[in-house]
Amino acid sequence: MPQICFRQKDGSSQTVEAKTGETLMQEALRHGVTGIIGECGGSCMCATCHIYLEDPERFGLGSISEMEETMLELEGEDVTPDSRLACQIEVSPELEGLTVTVAHTTQDT
Amino acid sequence: MSHIVIIGAGHAAIQCAASLRDLGNTSPITIISAESDLPYHRPPNSKKYIVEGVPEDFSLLRAADFYETEKIDLLLGETVESVDPAGRQVKFASGGGLGFEKLVMAPGSEPRTLPIPGIEHAPSLYSLQDARDIYSRLSGADTVAVIGGGFIGLEIAAAAAVSGKAVTVIEAAPQILGRSLTPNLAERIRSIHEEAGISIIDSVSVEKVTPDGVSTDGGFIGADLVLCGAGSVPRTQLAETADLEINNGIVVNQYLETRAANIYAIGDAACFLSVSGARRRYESVQNANDQARALAKTLSGELTAYSALPWFWSDQGTIKLQMAGDSGNASETVIVEGAQAPQVAAFCFDAQEHLCALETINWPAYHALSRKALSDGRVIGREALAAADFDLKAALKR
């Protein structure tokens, strides 16, 4: 089970042991990571699990589906080239050491 | 601090409690749920759990320790029997009661029960427990009949078909999804399902359900398992005990207030006054969450009218059906084909020839674009779209 670090914009962070096969969104929810809501349950419909990846290429997370990309557009100016939806990233052993920053600071987006 | 009691534990109820805390509201909050499971996401029930089983760590709406951390009292397995608006008290079926200063009713909807002999042989899907029960019965079945060709019936049918069952959908109306979708798109969805091997029988009335199938006025349809997916109805029984106004749900104004002081209704059961002045009631995750947010503001001292753009989705096998906007205001519809068949969009225009809703099959980019544009209040005229050959992206850039 890879260790994944969720960082908040205020600099605080939380490292969780993520289950292989689950999505990053589900694992964040399970561990109560602030700012990850997953309002649509992981159907790529809502962008309430918006994160920024650190060093995505290193973890093989460079590509993004058209659906995810357009859903991220709903987030407007908060989107950067490192933006992803946590519900669209499956946890695998290769993600060991990944750090992501949560885009929204409160429980509510 | 005034005690806020929330009845229900679906998306609306939990989001309301969470938003209250986000807004810094420190009132005591009690959530009362008749179900014994921790509050969970409902969509996976029909899309996933009935065929894959309900995992032990099913998808929770909030982490298990959220309620304690946020000082929210969560009463599970407790049924509210009646509400006394004057005495500001809810009474439990198990005896006892609880006082409130503000009451949020988020009872949701429940499967429509059909007055048909033997209907007890055709379970409906609503709760996580229903999903567990149906999964255990579905795993031993080769042939499945689903009564109802609406969203829930088709999601169940598609999930069962993907898992290798021979599936028949039985619909009383001449077409599936008749009440909820542009006819052209409904026709398209039917074709996709039929090509995937699902048999759809329309215009028949179910006369009787037996353990080995369904008798209709068009003949007998044998099935190892019969499931009922005939849509849902708002839960209004509690509101009746409080003498609230009921008309297609619990009637609320634009602030989601019922006619009783300090009692509010949100989610599937709330029939609200929309910005267009029409009465609307939506059974959707979006509606539940956005109403919860609006009400949390009102309860925290900032009177907020509910005005969010409705959106909805339904996953049916390979079909991703998405809708944005209020198609109830549509007076004309234009169908546009996408490049990656099956990919279709229905542009719905109101009487002023402005885009009021967009329904799409397998076209998430258009869904997202229209949702953002309509949410932002952009006026997208039919003429502008026609000039861009109904290329939504191009039209929005103009």
Side-chain angles (χ1 to χ4, degrees):
Chain A
M1 300 216 292
Q3 306 252 341
I4 296 184
C5 176
F6 289 90
R7 189 171 286 160
Q8 301 292 334
K9 280 186 168 164
D10 66 4
S12 64
S13 68
Q14 181 179 358
T15 298
V16 308
E17 279 207 5
K19 266 195 208 168
T20 300
E22 296 286 355
T23 66
L24 272 189
M25 181 275 285
Q26 282 166 320
E27 290 308 285
L29 265 187
R30 194 188 321 284
H31 292 93
V33 173
T34 304
I36 301 283
I37 310 293
E39 186 168 301
C40 75
S43 295
C44 201
M45 282 295 293
C46 72
T48 61
C49 62
H50 181 184
I51 54 170
Y52 305 108
L53 298 177
E54 278 180 25
D55 207 359
E57 301 296 338
R58 189 184 131 205
F59 297 93
L61 296 173
S63 66
I64 178 167
S65 73
E66 189 201 7
M67 180 155 84
E68 184 181 345
E69 201 166 7
T70 52
M71 205 45 62
L72 272 166
E73 282 172 19
L74 289 174
E75 290 280 275
E77 52 200 37
D78 290 337
V79 177
T80 76
D82 295 325
S83 286
R84 291 293 306 268
L85 294 180
C87 72
Q88 300 300 304
I89 298 174
E90 188 176 319
V91 177
S92 67
E94 289 72 42
L95 298 191
E96 174 64 41
L98 174 72
T99 297
V100 306
T101 301
V102 180
H104 297 282
T105 44
T106 61
Q107 287 280 347
D108 203 354
T109 52
Chain B
M1 276 288 144
S2 63
H3 187 190
I4 299 170
V5 170
I6 302 174
I7 299 176
H11 293 259
I14 304 307
Q15 183 62 53
C16 186
S19 291
L20 285 166
R21 290 296 184 244
D22 283 340
L23 292 165
N25 192 315
T26 54
S27 298
I29 299 174
T30 304
I31 296 173
I32 309 168
S33 172
E35 295 184 51
S36 51
D37 286 305
L38 276 173
Y40 56 90
H41 280 275
R42 245 175 246 291
N45 285 353
S46 54
K47 296 167 172 78
K48 196 167 150 188
Y49 292 163
I50 55 164
V51 290
E52 292 178 13
V54 179
E56 287 212 3
D57 52 352
F58 52 85
S59 196
L60 296 174
L61 284 172
R62 291 292 186 282
D65 62 3
F66 167 81
Y67 306 94
E68 201 184 328
T69 310
E70 297 292 338
K71 298 192 170 57
I72 294 166
D73 230 358
L74 178 63
L75 305 182
L76 295 178
E78 194 76 75
T79 303
V80 178
E81 192 175 62
S82 63
V83 173
D84 171 9
R88 290 199 191 165
Q89 220 197 23
V90 299
K91 291 200 175 75
F92 298 133
S94 62
L98 189 65
F100 63 82
E101 269 80 36
K102 306 276 182 191
L103 180 68
V104 178
M105 303 187 77
S109 49
E110 62 192 18
R112 187 189 306 279
T113 50
L114 302 173
I116 298 168
I119 194 69
E120 66 274 12
H121 299 298
S124 298
L125 176 62
Y126 176 73
S127 67
L128 200 61
Q129 191 52 45
D130 295 338
R132 291 186 185 107
D133 295 343
I134 289 176
Y135 169 71
S136 68
R137 296 176 66 167
L138 203 53
S139 41
D142 294 324
T143 53
V144 178
V146 180
I147 301 171
F151 291 119
I152 187 74
L154 291 173
E155 286 187 5
I156 291 171
V162 168
S163 75
K165 317 290 179 195
V167 180
T168 304
V169 173
I170 303 162
E171 169 59 45
Q175 184 55 288
I176 58 168
L177 295 168
R179 284 189 307 273
S180 21
L181 202 64
T182 299
N184 189 297
L185 261 59
E187 181 65 47
R188 211 58 76 83
I189 286 174
R190 178 177 187 148
S191 308
I192 298 169
H193 283 314
E194 287 177 337
E195 276 162 32
I198 297 176
S199 163
I200 297 176
I201 301 174
D202 62 57
S203 314
V204 292
S205 298
V206 174
E207 290 168 342
K208 192 174 155 191
V209 182
T210 51
D212 62 344
V214 181
S215 300
T216 74
D217 57 2
F220 181 76
I221 298 153
D224 298 332
L225 179 63
V226 183
L227 296 170
C228 186
S232 51
V233 291
R235 285 188 168 144
T236 55
Q237 300 89 333
L238 262 188
E240 281 163 29
T241 69
D243 196 29
L244 303 180
E245 186 183 353
I246 315 280
N247 186 1
N248 179 31
I250 306 169
V251 174
V252 292
N253 63 14
Q254 68 269 43
Y255 304 111
L256 308 166
E257 301 168 313
T258 68
R259 72 177 173 196
N262 302 305
I263 300 183
Y264 306 80
I266 53 174
D268 285 14
C271 184
F272 66 98
L273 199 59
S274 75
V275 275
S276 70
R279 286 248 156 232
R280 290 284 184 267
R281 187 177 70 77
Y282 292 114
E283 294 167 1
S284 76
V285 168
Q286 169 278 323
N287 180 70
N289 282 316
D290 285 339
Q291 288 191 343
R293 292 192 182 96
L295 180 57
K297 282 187 187 165
T298 295
L299 293 178
S300 303
E302 185 191 336
L303 186 66
T304 303
Y306 176 65
S307 63
L309 184 84
W311 54 265
F312 181 76
W313 83 99
S314 175
D315 294 332
Q316 302 172 16
T318 60
I319 301 169
K320 190 155 197 88
L321 175 62
Q322 299 175 301
M323 292 179 266
D326 183 352
S327 60
N329 296 330
S331 54
E332 197 207 343
T333 302
V334 175
I335 305 292
V336 176
E337 301 288 332
Q340 297 149 3
Q343 187 179 47
V344 198
F347 289 81
C348 305
F349 297 98
D350 62 19
Q352 285 78 48
E353 300 204 323
H354 297 153
L355 187 73
C356 61
L358 186 75
E359 302 173 344
T360 53
I361 295 173
N362 298 336
W363 213 335
Y366 268 27
H367 171 75
L369 286 168
S370 66
R371 207 164 106 191
K372 173 132 180 61
L374 292 171
S375 290
D376 291 348
R378 281 191 66 173
V379 174
I380 309 160
R382 191 189 190 291
E383 238 171 81
L385 275 163
D389 232 358
F390 285 90
D391 179 329
L392 183 57
K393 204 163 193 169
L396 289 170
K397 275 195 188 133
R398 280 163 189 249

